[in-house]
């Protein structure tokens, strides 16, 4: 496990990517042991070719927004292979207005492995974090002091190390640093994947069009 903390992600405060992501709503998922094409299949995504860089992914999403009168009933997912703990991981990124990754997808993608996801709904400040292991939701939270899942306290020591303040004293903000930077650091602790501006700029993504609630097979 790396020693990364929220301070290692201070760059996000001036990042055009994160400014767009937090304004529009985004979901970033990291999956171990599942190839990008299989991730898109599990998400029941319609293949949409490839693109280079997050700016191109944003352009694709903006085109979809315009075509659907800015409806959030579907989104374009960008999927790529990234290095992490124990080998390759798959990073899934989409600007979905808060739709996020369906729990049933996360259960399937984490079966026999691990999935870590963080998201924001854009506009209203709802920021979520989920850790799945072997198909089960282990720890989930919006506020770090109100955790859920089968093992809600399993990450407490790591959360403190990356910068979260877990006190629920009256008047406490719940964090001692930028909360989104702490979430990024927590995700890296669990995956070994370092998200950087350069990675996002140069990413070679497979694309898929995902409906909010795809029809069951």
């Amino acid at each position: 496990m790396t020693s990364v903390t929220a301070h290692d992600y201070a760059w996000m405060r001036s990042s055009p990517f994160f400014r767009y992501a937090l304004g529009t709503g985004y979901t970033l998922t990291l999956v171990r042991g599942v190839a990008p094409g299989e991730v898109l299949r599990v998400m029941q995504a319609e293949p949409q070719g490839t693109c280079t860089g997050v700016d191109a992914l944003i352009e694709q999403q903006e085109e979809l927004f315009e075509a659907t009168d800015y409806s959030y009933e579907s989104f374009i997912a960008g999927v790529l292979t990234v290095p992490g703990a124990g080998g390759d991981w798959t990073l899934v990124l989409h600007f979905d207005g808060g739709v996020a990754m369906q729990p049933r997808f996360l259960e399937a993608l984490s079966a026999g492995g691990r999935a870590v996801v963080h998201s924001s709904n854009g506009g209203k400040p709802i920021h979520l974090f989920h850790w799945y292991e072997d198909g089960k939701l282990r720890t989930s939270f919006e506020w770090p002091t109100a955790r859920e899942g089968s093992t809600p306290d399993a990450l407490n020591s790591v959360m403190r190390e990356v910068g979260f303040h877990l006190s629920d004293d009256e008047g406490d903000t719940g964090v001692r640093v930028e909360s989104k930077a702490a979430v990024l650091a927590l995700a890296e602790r669990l995956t070994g994947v370092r998200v950087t501006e350069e990675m996002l700029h140069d990413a070679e993504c497979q694309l898929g069009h995902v409906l909010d609630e795809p029809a069951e097979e």
Side-chain angles (χ1 to χ4, degrees):
M1 185 177 290
T2 71
S3 59
V4 64
T5 71
H7 297 294
D8 294 291
Y9 283 95
W11 59 266
M12 61 152 293
R13 298 172 188 169
S14 58
S15 164
F17 158 69
F18 270 105
R19 185 161 50 249
Y20 178 86
L22 293 173
T24 302
Y26 82 95
T27 301
L28 192 156
T29 306
L30 294 164
V31 180
R32 183 179 65 197
V34 185
E38 178 63 10
V39 170
L40 289 175
R41 187 196 69 78
V42 170
M43 295 175 68
Q44 301 178 351
E46 178 183 349
Q48 297 289 305
T50 63
C51 76
T52 300
V54 70
D55 288 343
L57 174 60
I58 290 172
E59 288 179 8
Q60 294 263 8
Q61 182 60 56
E62 286 293 328
E63 290 177 4
L64 180 61
F65 280 151
E66 291 178 6
T68 59
D69 196 23
Y70 286 82
S71 167
Y72 287 107
E73 294 182 355
S74 66
F75 56 83
I76 301 296
V79 185
L80 64 146
T81 299
V82 293
D88 287 340
W89 288 64
T90 294
L91 185 153
V92 189
L93 176 63
H94 36 96
F95 304 101
D96 50 34
V99 171
M101 182 80 84
Q102 296 291 335
R104 60 195 175 94
F105 297 159
L106 292 166
E107 291 166 3
L109 292 171
S110 66
R114 174 175 290 183
V116 176
V117 54
H118 51 88
S119 62
S120 172
N121 70 333
K124 295 181 180 179
I126 298 176
H127 307 291
L128 302 176
F129 176 90
H130 306 286
W131 163 39
Y132 282 77
E133 195 90 12
D134 293 325
K136 303 294 184 182
L137 177 60
R138 295 285 304 275
T139 303
S140 174
F141 61 85
E142 177 183 357
W143 301 105
T145 55
R147 300 171 300 279
E148 300 178 343
S150 62
T151 57
D153 298 330
L155 300 180
N156 286 10
S157 61
V158 180
M159 291 176 69
R160 291 188 180 95
E161 288 174 10
V162 300
F164 283 111
H165 192 189
L166 302 186
S167 169
D168 57 1
D169 294 339
E170 184 176 356
D172 194 349
T173 63
V175 294
R176 62 176 63 141
V177 293
E178 166 61 48
S179 60
K180 187 59 68 175
V183 161
L184 285 161
L186 180 60
E188 182 176 338
R189 290 284 190 113
L190 287 168
T191 65
V193 175
R194 172 65 61 92
V195 175
T196 66
E197 197 89 70
E198 292 75 20
M199 171 199 288
L200 298 169
H201 182 268
D202 299 330
E204 295 291 336
C205 298
Q206 295 184 40
L207 302 177
H209 181 205
V210 184
L211 296 177
D212 183 1
E213 282 289 355
E216 295 286 354
E217 294 180 349

